[in-house]
Amino acid sequence: MEPSYIFLTMAVTLLSMPATGFGQGTTRVGFYSKTCPRAESIVKSTVESHFRSNPAIAPGLLRMHFHDCFVNGCDGSVLIDGPNTERKAVQNSLLRGFEVIDDAKAKLEAACPGVTKGINWKVPTGRRDGRVSLQSDAAKLPRFTDSIESQKQQFARFGLNTQDLVTLVGGHTIGTAACLVFNYRLNNFTNGGPDPTINPSFLPQLQSLCPQNGNNFRRVDLDTGSANKFDTSFFTNLKNGRGVLESDQKLWTDVSTRTFVQQFLGEKGVRKLNFGKEFAKSMAKMSNIGVKTGSNSEIRRVCSAIN
């Protein structure tokens, strides 16, 4: 199967590429058509190569993109490696895919010196890299225990609405999570028992995958039964009480977000939304958070800590 162009989107978003002049705070499709016309094809072939060797790269890049944009905007600051940088924060300790970015960057620099099916869209480019990367800033990221109200507030500060929230969380259709981020729900959540929002028929499956005193770093599919397809089954699982993360399951239990889940599922009585089309729109919208310009940015070629 050919990997989705979505992962090219994230790779291009995070990469530094040579450009003439400074950005104006926005991105556009075809930004590198003159300065580096092969840019997209180079990144695409690199991502495809890594994906064929390790399909887990797909959700890894998706998560990395989200973690970058929600801390000081989409400026590649999560890529910077060094003491006390964003990359070293606990919230980013399980991020994957840095080697894909490094590989693509190297190939881009050489060309221009100085099993998942999915959706695709034209990628606006033209971002510059931020100069600041602080471990403490990762505390701004949404947490897997957050209430819907808290999640909505965090998204709203970046100009993203409730529909964007539900849509982007839907990216978990291809994601995984380590046991350590949800095993608290399985045994001693309330009154010594499991989280009551977990379907009783689903609970034994999760408990067997993540037993008490087991391997906290074992990874579990967030979209049980359809982890390798970019589809709406993730939302079906939420409806059936089979959400792995507490924050995900709340999309169904909270009335303000449930409507959008129902729209993506095409339920009777609500206006149907096309998940693929809406995801593309929300990704493009998120990709324009805090686009850097001028002296507060740079075209970074080496992702090492700033001294």
Side-chain angles (χ1 to χ4, degrees):
M1 300 180 185
E2 183 177 355
S4 167
Y5 195 72
I6 180 179
F7 311 126
L8 169 61
T9 298
M10 276 136 355
V12 172
T13 295
L14 292 170
L15 289 171
S16 310
M17 289 187 278
T20 56
F22 294 95
Q24 301 300 315
T26 59
T27 58
R28 69 174 188 271
V29 174
F31 185 90
Y32 299 102
S33 59
K34 294 182 178 179
T35 57
C36 191
R38 292 182 54 240
E40 281 77 8
S41 62
I42 290 171
V43 177
K44 183 174 186 292
S45 62
T46 302
V47 174
E48 287 177 340
S49 176
H50 283 270
F51 177 83
R52 284 192 291 269
S53 300
N54 178 17
I57 284 301
L61 290 176
L62 177 59
R63 185 163 180 253
M64 187 192 299
H65 179 63
F66 182 89
H67 279 224
D68 181 52
C69 291
F70 265 57
V71 178
N72 301 322
C74 305
D75 62 356
S77 53
V78 76
L79 299 175
I80 299 175
D81 192 15
N84 301 314
T85 59
E86 287 175 42
R87 191 164 168 174
K88 299 301 182 184
V90 173
Q91 295 89 336
N92 294 325
S93 61
L94 298 177
L95 289 183
R96 295 174 293 172
F98 292 105
E99 70 280 9
V100 182
I101 305 299
D102 291 340
D103 190 12
K105 282 177 67 69
K107 291 175 180 175
L108 282 169
E109 188 65 23
C112 307
V115 196
T116 297
K117 291 186 177 180
I119 57 177
N120 66 82
W121 62 89
K122 292 183 178 180
V123 183
T125 50
R127 296 166 189 78
R128 291 170 62 87
D129 298 306
R131 296 179 179 275
V132 177
S133 181
L134 299 174
Q135 183 174 339
S136 57
D137 281 345
K140 302 173 184 177
L141 290 166
R143 297 167 296 182
F144 48 84
T145 57
D146 282 346
S147 66
I148 291 298
E149 191 58 37
S150 175
Q151 293 181 63
K152 288 194 294 187
Q153 291 174 3
Q154 293 177 78
F155 274 65
R157 65 190 174 97
F158 295 119
L160 301 173
N161 58 32
T162 304
Q163 180 177 322
D164 293 316
L165 163 62
V166 178
T167 305
L168 292 170
V169 173
H172 286 170
T173 180
I174 56 169
T176 62
C179 291
L180 64 87
V181 301
F182 66 87
N183 57 10
Y184 68 93
R185 302 180 67 205
L186 307 183
N187 300 288
N188 300 307
F189 187 79
T190 54
N191 299 320
D195 184 340
T197 65
I198 300 175
N199 188 316
S201 67
F202 184 47
L203 181 61
Q205 182 178 342
L206 291 179
Q207 290 175 327
S208 66
L209 290 170
C210 300
Q212 294 189 66
N213 303 318
N215 179 6
N216 280 334
F217 294 97
R218 180 176 182 175
R219 303 200 70 85
V220 175
D221 294 334
L222 291 173
D223 186 4
T224 306
S226 184
N228 292 324
K229 293 181 180 179
F230 201 95
D231 56 21
T232 60
S233 64
F234 170 74
F235 296 116
T236 300
N237 280 331
L238 298 187
K239 178 181 178 181
N240 294 329
R242 296 170 66 87
V244 175
L245 300 183
E246 181 183 354
S247 55
D248 286 356
Q249 188 58 52
K250 287 175 179 175
L251 294 181
W252 179 259
T253 57
D254 190 283
V255 176
S256 67
T257 49
R258 183 191 304 160
T259 298
F260 294 107
V261 175
Q262 292 172 319
Q263 288 180 292
F264 286 135
L265 292 177
E267 294 193 348
K268 292 182 179 180
V270 295
R271 179 177 62 92
K272 184 175 182 178
L273 287 174
N274 183 295
F275 177 51
K277 290 182 179 179
E278 297 306 321
F279 190 83
K281 291 178 184 177
S282 292
M283 280 293 293
K285 192 174 177 181
M286 183 176 71
S287 295
N288 276 303
I289 294 174
V291 176
K292 301 294 189 294
T293 60
S295 61
N296 71 337
S297 62
E298 64 182 357
I299 298 174
R300 189 184 312 118
R301 292 178 172 79
V302 180
C303 292
S304 58
I306 300 172
N307 296 318

